[in-house]
Amino acid sequence: MAYETIIVEIEDYIALVKLNRPDAMNALNSQLLGELADALTAAQANDKVRCIVIAGSEKFFAAGADIKMMSEMNFVDVFSGDLFAEETGAISRVRKPIIAAVSGYALGGGCELAMMCDFIIAGDNAKFGQPEINLGVIAGMGGTQRLTRVVGKSKAMDMNLTGRFMDAEEAERSGLVSRVVPAKKLMDEAMSAAAKVAEKSMISVMAVKESVNRAYETTLTEGLAFERRVFNSMFATDDQKEGMNAFLEKREAQFRDR
Ligand code: DAK
């Protein structure tokens, strides 16, 4: 599929997906989210991809869902069409790890897209926000849910009720992002984090993703039981033998995803 609103580059087992609607600050419309879902689904099926990075440009990751598109919609359009549900469902089903590299604005749906990724690395110029309240609506792809689980009720309420933006330093302090780096070094940092992930056993990587995500879906007791079961199952893999033997033999592990 030829894409018009994203650019995909695959190299060294990393798929770099760049959002590319510069005239609208990468605002998310059905085409962009559809292409993104398609590219991520293809990356999931591609043996040459072991980690995915989603990025915008230096000034904006994405300034939210496309307000122009939404301004022409009514309740029936949004409800009957189940706006963005299929696309976001496809993104959430990707089992390979996804890193968001956020520089500049990540607002509304842009912040929510970053939170759909497995972790966020931010440039020191990043600004996160859920300003939908200024448009007379509320967040619709996780801004009241994922954000609350990540930063807690008080800050999530503050962000969603006032519509204010959070800078990179506050985002790191609140646990929204895993690291903040100088904006100029963001892509190097994100790509080198992706390269680190890409060299692990894909079985362990997907198991980590499943287990951490389970923490958001269940109780601590259930989550710990799930983690234990997954841990035990790792002992059925060749990569567990290889990883542990390589450590004892003081050499690099050669994982084969088996
Ligand atoms: N949509 C469409 N165009 C946008 C846009 C957006 N979200 N954000 C910016 N643009 C466009 C501007 O209209 C402008 O276009 P031209 O006038 O040049 O044609 C261009 O990008 C540059 O914007 P500005 O001139 O405003 O640039 P500034 O540097 O002055 O300001 C800004 C940058 C990011 C602070 C400002 O543009 C801004 O406040 N943008 C809107 C941010 C926002 O309100 N985001 C939330 C959108 S609502 C759903 C799930 C989720 C959602 C919806 C439904 N369902 C599951 C049903 C999500 C909703 C949202 O995200």
Side-chain angles (χ1 to χ4, degrees):
M1 180 172 173
Y3 300 129
E4 291 174 351
T5 60
I6 60 171
I7 298 167
V8 181
E9 293 161 13
I10 298 175
E11 208 181 320
D12 296 334
Y13 294 99
I14 301 166
L16 171 60
V17 183
K18 288 191 212 155
L19 310 180
N20 187 37
R21 285 192 74 208
D23 293 346
M25 292 196 155
N26 289 341
L28 310 173
N29 59 12
S30 300
Q31 183 184 6
L32 189 151
L33 281 176
E35 291 184 358
L36 182 60
D38 186 83
L40 296 182
T41 305
Q44 175 64 36
N46 185 346
D47 288 345
K48 297 267 181 243
V49 175
R50 302 176 69 82
C51 190
I52 299 157
V53 175
I54 300 181
S57 68
E58 194 178 330
K59 292 217 170 92
F60 38 86
F61 178 74
D66 192 317
I67 299 169
K68 188 160 185 298
M69 178 193 80
M70 291 187 296
S71 70
E72 289 155 10
M73 297 178 143
N74 61 26
F75 168 77
V76 174
D77 297 328
V78 177
F79 180 73
S80 304
D82 215 358
L83 185 65
F84 299 155
E86 203 174 303
E87 297 88 340
T88 54
I91 295 168
S92 305
R93 281 193 294 278
V94 175
R95 299 180 72 203
K96 290 179 181 173
I98 310 176
I99 300 171
V102 174
S103 187
Y105 294 110
L107 305 176
C111 184
E112 293 168 311
L113 174 61
M115 290 191 289
M116 278 177 226
C117 298
D118 297 310
F119 64 97
I120 303 173
I121 302 182
D124 54 9
N125 64 340
K127 284 193 169 33
F128 298 87
Q130 299 293 159
E132 290 90 339
I133 195 144
N134 298 330
L135 303 170
V137 292
I138 72 164
M141 297 196 298
T144 68
Q145 299 302 304
R146 286 197 180 91
L147 187 66
T148 306
R149 284 165 163 81
V150 171
V151 304
K153 175 184 164 184
S154 192
K155 211 172 270 288
M157 282 285 192
D158 180 357
M159 304 299 297
N160 277 282
L161 287 174
T162 67
R164 77 173 174 88
F165 301 163
M166 190 193 274
D167 66 18
E169 193 271 323
E170 182 181 4
E172 186 182 29
R173 187 158 28 93
S174 322
L176 178 58
V177 313
S178 69
R179 2 179 164 164
V180 177
V181 298
K184 295 272 176 235
K185 295 200 171 142
L186 174 64
M187 290 318 297
D188 287 348
E189 186 85 2
M191 296 307 277
S192 96
K196 273 261 167 264
V197 175
E199 70 191 23
K200 316 290 189 224
S201 163
M202 188 52 68
I203 307 290
S204 314
V205 164
M206 291 195 303
V208 165
K209 179 163 173 164
E210 255 185 64
S211 294
V212 174
N213 282 336
R214 186 55 72 102
Y216 286 97
E217 307 287 347
T218 190
T219 63
L220 180 61
T221 305
E222 287 296 327
L224 288 170
F226 181 84
E227 181 188 78
R228 180 170 287 274
R229 289 286 169 267
V230 176
F231 170 84
N232 292 345
S233 68
M234 296 286 114
F235 285 71
T237 67
D238 294 346
D239 284 347
Q240 173 263 331
K241 309 280 177 294
E242 169 61 11
M244 294 189 179
N245 286 337
F247 175 80
L248 294 174
E249 292 161 15
K250 301 190 188 302
R251 60 174 174 81
E252 286 286 313
Q254 303 293 321
F255 293 122
R256 294 188 305 121
D257 305 335
R258 299 197 168 277

